[in-house]
Amino acid sequence: MTLGNKTKHRWLEVMAGVMLLLAPLAQAQAGDEAIGYVKTVTGQALVITAGQSVKAQPGTAVLLGSQLKTGRAATLGVTFKDGTVMSFGPDTELTVDEYLYAPAQDQLKLTARLGKGSLNYLSGVIARLKPSAVQIKTPVGIIGVRGTRFVATVEEGL
Amino acid sequence: MSRSIQNALGLSVLALAALSVGCAGPRSYVVLLPSPDGSVGKVTVSGPAGQQLLTRAQTGTGLDGGKPPFEVSSEKLARDFGAAISARPALPEQFLLYFSPGGAALTAESDALLTQILARAKARTSVDLSVIGHTDTKGDAKANESLGLARANTIAALLRQMGLPDVPLSVESHGERNLLVATPDETDEPRNRCVEVTLR
């Protein structure tokens, strides 16, 4: 490095300033970016994000914090950015609480809550690179995934 | 009806009820299944009643974690999960395109693969794509990040030019930080000069 100490210091200050400016931007955008898309729907299904309810159709975006909801005779299928595939049977509610997919920065996390109903889950890159990063919470217990496929059902009141 | 028959009926109804409860197992439960490639992973359950580990396909356990794994019949799977399983989207498809050293020009084989990617993208309903650029470790990391992005942009532009419909497409660069083939720094490795296209 041929930079003098003073120049280096100045450079660090500028960098820190830029990062401070960018930080709120990154936060504001965290919930606006699609983390997955609806691929299949039969019957009435909803994607509810920040209190806003959207009728699920193939192509509907799923965001961080979205709740996926199927009606009495409905089904829904979603593919996430990392290739995780989830599909749901009737009368199901699942909320995506955490989703981080930046393999280059080693930021990997998927936490979802299955409130009720049935789920067919297929691992994507997140579980493959970091198995401990995937958790499906239910009112009864927590499912941990070790690179795999499973189905789970939750009945209310249990 | 005689008293004894009534009693017997009552008993058998009770027995049936007990039996059906026994068969039904926990109402909230998880079942491990083979992945589409045939491999079987593992599932852990931790709940108020304990922890369980599933390692064999088609075994399940209650979500409270209190009971050891049990076999789950195909009939029960179909009954409880048939609808969810039938709603599964098409599996993601991945393609790797390779580049000549140091630039954003595709090898001849990879050029041909582009046509195939486009056809597959059009065949899928409601497709979204990611185009991720990778480089080898020759040169510095920052330059490689830019190079990876240039490669990914080249591919995205080519796909659009060739008639890719207006679908969600994300362009990213992992530069030399997510090597497809592990190498030391400053290594010329053709298999790492690559763009990864995923159709979902």
Side-chain angles (χ1 to χ4, degrees):
Chain A
M1 211 58 170
T2 50
L3 288 175
N5 247 345
K6 207 174 165 188
T7 328
K8 245 196 261 181
H9 190 70
R10 179 88 194 106
W11 179 236
L12 280 176
E13 272 178 11
V14 171
M15 282 301 286
V18 168
M19 278 156 83
L20 274 177
L21 280 173
L22 289 178
L25 266 180
Q27 262 173 11
Q29 286 174 353
D32 305 344
E33 207 181 301
I35 59 171
Y37 291 92
V38 171
K39 298 294 177 186
T40 69
V41 188
T42 59
Q44 290 284 333
L46 297 172
V47 178
I48 306 164
T49 309
Q52 282 226 309
S53 207
V54 178
K55 191 172 175 290
Q57 285 171 328
T60 303
V62 175
L63 309 185
L64 181 64
S66 288
Q67 184 187 40
L68 311 169
K69 217 168 168 173
T70 58
R72 283 187 66 89
T75 67
L76 178 69
V78 171
T79 304
F80 291 87
K81 281 196 77 177
D82 72 304
T84 300
V85 174
M86 293 191 200
S87 51
F88 311 99
D91 212 11
T92 299
E93 284 178 19
L94 179 126
T95 309
V96 187
D97 287 327
E98 291 178 283
Y99 189 89
L100 281 174
Y101 177 51
Q105 282 85 44
D106 194 32
Q107 293 193 332
L108 301 159
K109 193 140 190 79
L110 169 55
T111 312
R113 247 179 310 135
L114 180 63
K116 61 172 182 170
S118 54
L119 159 70
N120 175 36
Y121 165 97
L122 250 168
S123 282
V125 178
I126 294 179
R128 197 150 56 238
L129 292 180
K130 195 176 175 187
S132 62
V134 180
Q135 271 195 347
I136 308 294
K137 296 178 176 173
T138 76
V140 195
I142 298 171
I143 302 167
V145 182
R146 302 289 175 263
T148 190
R149 174 183 173 212
F150 67 82
V151 287
T153 182
V154 169
E155 293 213 11
E156 278 179 304
L158 268 185
Chain B
M1 212 184 286
S2 80
R3 186 78 187 225
S4 61
I5 291 180
Q6 263 183 8
N7 277 346
L9 268 178
L11 271 179
S12 60
V13 167
L14 271 181
L16 266 179
L19 203 67
S20 67
V21 165
C23 282
R27 283 160 67 202
S28 295
Y29 69 108
V30 57
V31 185
L32 178 61
L33 292 176
S35 302
D37 66 2
S39 67
V40 176
K42 287 176 190 164
V43 159
T44 60
V45 171
S46 43
Q51 292 201 342
Q52 300 297 332
L53 175 68
L54 299 178
T55 56
R56 282 193 308 125
Q58 236 167 297
T59 56
T61 187
L63 290 176
D64 66 356
K67 295 219 176 64
F70 51 86
E71 303 279 335
V72 180
S73 69
S74 300
E75 292 71 32
K76 188 170 166 59
L77 266 183
R79 192 167 63 237
D80 289 351
F81 300 106
I85 291 171
S86 70
R88 196 203 75 191
L91 296 176
E93 289 172 79
Q94 196 189 51
F95 301 88
L96 297 174
L97 298 156
Y98 296 96
F99 288 81
S100 311
L106 279 176
T107 63
E109 296 86 350
S110 291
D111 212 22
L113 188 58
L114 272 179
T115 317
Q116 202 187 322
I117 294 174
L118 195 71
R120 290 299 309 146
K122 284 180 172 171
R124 294 175 74 99
T125 48
S126 170
V127 70
D128 68 287
L129 292 84
S130 68
V131 182
I132 301 171
H134 299 267
T135 67
D136 61 22
T137 55
K138 201 98 185 139
D140 77 62
K142 193 117 187 78
N144 277 332
E145 185 162 358
S146 311
L147 179 57
L149 193 62
R151 286 175 175 164
N153 275 321
T154 304
I155 298 304
L158 275 172
L159 285 170
R160 297 249 192 243
Q161 259 174 45
M162 291 166 73
L164 181 75
D166 189 18
V167 294
L169 183 153
S170 70
V171 177
E172 295 164 51
S173 173
H174 290 177
E176 62 171 58
R177 291 168 303 169
N178 182 18
L179 297 176
L180 299 175
V181 178
T183 71
D185 199 12
E186 291 303 322
T187 306
D188 186 323
E189 172 53 69
R191 288 172 297 171
N192 284 333
R193 293 193 294 269
C194 169
V195 166
E196 191 186 341
V197 177
T198 305
L199 309 181
R200 285 176 300 250

